[in-house]
Amino acid sequence: MRTRIESGRPAPSPFRRYWPLAPGIVFLNHGSFGSCPTPILKLQTELRRRLEAEPVQFLWRRYEERLEPSRVAVARFAGARPRDVVFTANATTGVNAVLRSAGLRRGDELLTTNQDYNACHNALAEIARRSGARLVVANVPFPLRNAEEVIEAVMRAVTPRTRLALVDHVSSNSALIFPVARIVRELEARGVDTLVDGAHAPGMMALNLTKLSPAYYTGNLHKWVCAPKGVAFLWAREDKQTDLQPAVVSHGNNRRRAGYTPFQDRFDWAGTLDPTPWFCAGPVLRWMEELLPGGWRELRRRNHELTVKARKLLCARLQVEPPCPESMLGSMATIPLPERFQGVPPSGKIDAEQLRLYDEFGIEVPFLRAGVPERRYFRISAQIYNTLAEYDYLAKVLENVRAKLRARR
């Protein structure tokens, strides 16, 4: 028999019908892997049918004519020139390409923060190991009072040996919007190149990469843009493109195409792969733009406002303090778990409570650990298919079933 809470799951948003999310699941974790709308998945299926029907025609003769419109659309969306943009499978691939091309030597320093994404941290550590460079980690506090604390932590860690800094635009676990414009300017003034990991930023916030002008910027499109899995972009400032090699070196190093830069030649073909996610990037940007009368601006505003309201509701109901100001939130928020959930050792890849929230109550929301001393948190996301009632349902579950969730660990 279902519990009273479970039987009271909120009605879905009218926009939910455009997404193939499992019925009955309260999906509050768009930030992990996104979700692609059904109309775009249908387009991708048709593109894949054409790929298999005429592989040579699709992958060789007509490749650029499908790729270039998406590149132009993504560049416009990101405030960039198309000539400075290439596609990658994901932001981690873009980070790896930059790090492998950095030409680091023994004694150089790489700078990151304790808020970086684990996969990117591993890439930094491996490059440091191979080159003999030193990996320096700036300790950004969490919780924190304001964005100045991020800037201060990063700049305190800079030394005359710092060559390259990896800085998140939106941190994954803590869901903080970093003040990247100021960080880029201050690092540049000290002769340090910045690689911005913008995995969460496209679709969550407006971008103008030409104005921001870091050395490098990479961002996912499968998250807040809702593209199919396998499409991200790498932007490089023109003076940094010459020595930049893709993570997979293929034909482009010695096969030039008329009308394309050497940077694009090197990245546009990484061997035989399924390019349909890249070809869908332009169409999904247009499709999402048309969901609301105000287009992307209204969509970003709506998601941000829902995030702020949801965080207020959850913090009040769970009697916890918000760990950062609203000004540092985008379309995600990380919230402390109440004291009754603290002091529990890790139970595997996914915390037991997170598994049971899904299995017993149909709630998909991630649990995580952060800070010094380490505390337990959960992170909510807000996409157009979410409603405030879903976060209210989450609050009811966390309020009323904590004994059940803990008893079965």
Side-chain angles (χ1 to χ4, degrees):
M1 180 179 295
R2 295 189 301 169
T3 68
R4 181 165 46 181
I5 293 176
E6 183 184 6
S7 63
R9 292 185 189 180
S13 159
F15 290 101
R16 175 80 174 238
R17 69 184 186 274
Y18 297 121
W19 271 263
L21 295 165
I25 297 301
V26 179
F27 194 72
L28 304 179
N29 192 14
H30 188 89
S32 281
F33 304 110
S35 181
C36 185
T38 301
I40 301 302
L41 292 174
K42 288 181 177 178
L43 169 63
Q44 185 183 26
T45 297
E46 172 58 20
L47 288 170
R48 283 175 166 160
R49 185 194 67 77
R50 296 180 190 178
L51 163 61
E52 299 304 335
E54 297 182 297
V56 177
Q57 180 83 345
F58 192 94
L59 291 173
W60 203 246
R61 298 189 185 100
R62 302 192 63 185
Y63 183 78
E64 283 82 7
E65 71 181 66
R66 290 190 171 102
L67 182 68
E68 201 57 25
S70 278
R71 191 200 319 268
V72 170
V74 169
R76 183 183 305 116
F77 186 72
R81 301 183 304 177
R83 64 181 287 118
D84 300 327
V85 172
V86 294
F87 287 110
T88 64
N90 46 59
T92 303
T93 303
V95 167
N96 273 268
V98 172
L99 294 178
R100 288 163 57 105
S101 304
L104 295 166
R105 296 177 293 185
R106 186 170 300 277
D108 290 338
E109 290 182 356
L110 284 165
L111 176 60
T112 186
T113 78
N114 59 333
Q115 306 275 349
D116 63 5
Y117 188 58
N118 184 59
C120 296
H121 186 94
N122 287 341
L124 286 162
E126 178 62 14
I127 290 297
R129 184 188 69 81
R130 292 189 178 194
S131 65
R134 176 171 174 253
L135 179 57
V136 177
V137 179
N139 290 310
V140 175
F142 188 77
L144 79 176
R145 297 181 301 276
N146 53 56
E148 292 293 327
E149 293 185 70
V150 179
I151 298 169
E152 291 168 4
V154 170
M155 299 313 298
R156 273 198 307 267
V158 175
T159 77
R161 293 181 177 272
T162 309
R163 287 277 310 283
L164 178 69
L166 174 69
V167 179
D168 288 75
H169 200 158
V170 182
S171 60
S172 182
N173 278 357
S174 56
L176 299 172
I177 295 178
F178 277 23
V180 292
R182 282 192 55 192
I183 291 173
V184 168
R185 287 196 302 271
E186 296 199 23
L187 288 173
E188 189 77 20
R190 298 199 191 184
V192 179
D193 286 338
T194 308
L195 164 57
V196 180
D197 178 2
H200 283 277
M204 183 188 290
M205 50 204 311
L207 295 177
N208 187 333
L209 298 185
T210 301
K211 181 178 179 181
L212 181 63
S213 195
Y216 314 95
Y217 190 104
T218 185
N220 284 322
L221 298 177
H222 68 264
K223 291 183 183 283
W224 301 98
V225 171
C226 296
K229 309 299 180 285
V231 55
F233 69 88
L234 172 63
W235 177 94
R237 209 169 58 210
E238 188 170 11
D239 62 300
K240 298 297 179 181
Q241 294 174 12
T242 300
D243 297 325
L244 186 52
Q245 289 281 354
V248 176
V249 175
S250 189
H251 294 291
N253 278 19
N254 61 0
R255 289 188 179 176
R256 295 298 314 279
R257 298 169 298 169
Y260 293 87
T261 68
F263 173 52
Q264 293 172 326
D265 284 333
R266 292 193 297 272
F267 278 83
D268 280 0
W269 183 265
T272 304
L273 50 71
D274 179 0
T276 59
W278 298 3
F279 297 168
C280 289
V284 75
L285 283 169
R286 290 191 295 273
W287 189 88
M288 294 288 288
E289 169 82 24
E290 294 169 359
L291 274 177
L292 296 171
W296 273 104
R297 180 177 302 214
E298 184 178 353
L299 178 57
R300 290 191 298 264
R301 178 188 57 77
R302 178 205 176 278
N303 288 344
H304 170 71
E305 290 178 355
L306 181 57
T307 300
V308 170
K309 290 177 182 177
R311 189 178 76 155
K312 285 181 178 177
L313 181 154
L314 285 157
C315 286
R317 295 275 288 278
L318 301 177
Q319 299 180 4
V320 295
E321 291 296 320
C324 71
E326 290 179 5
S327 59
M328 298 185 75
L329 297 180
S331 304
M332 299 191 299
T334 293
I335 300 168
L337 282 161
E339 283 301 319
R340 56 187 175 268
F341 288 95
Q342 301 297 336
V344 180
S347 55
K349 183 178 178 181
I350 303 176
D351 282 359
E353 295 98 332
Q354 179 181 341
L355 291 171
R356 292 194 169 90
L357 279 177
Y358 186 87
D359 293 340
E360 298 178 25
F361 300 97
I363 298 173
E364 186 67 86
V365 67
F367 282 40
L368 52 97
R369 297 163 190 266
V372 179
E374 184 180 83
R375 303 283 290 173
R376 301 182 73 204
Y377 297 82
F378 65 100
R379 191 191 70 190
I380 58 170
S381 297
Q383 186 50 279
I384 191 171
Y385 54 71
N386 290 124
T387 66
L388 191 61
E390 292 177 312
Y391 307 97
D392 181 69
Y393 174 66
L394 171 62
K396 288 177 183 176
V397 171
L398 291 175
E399 282 177 323
N400 294 288
V401 301
R402 59 186 180 273
K404 182 179 179 183
L405 285 170
R406 297 194 67 176
R408 297 191 184 180
R409 272 201 309 274

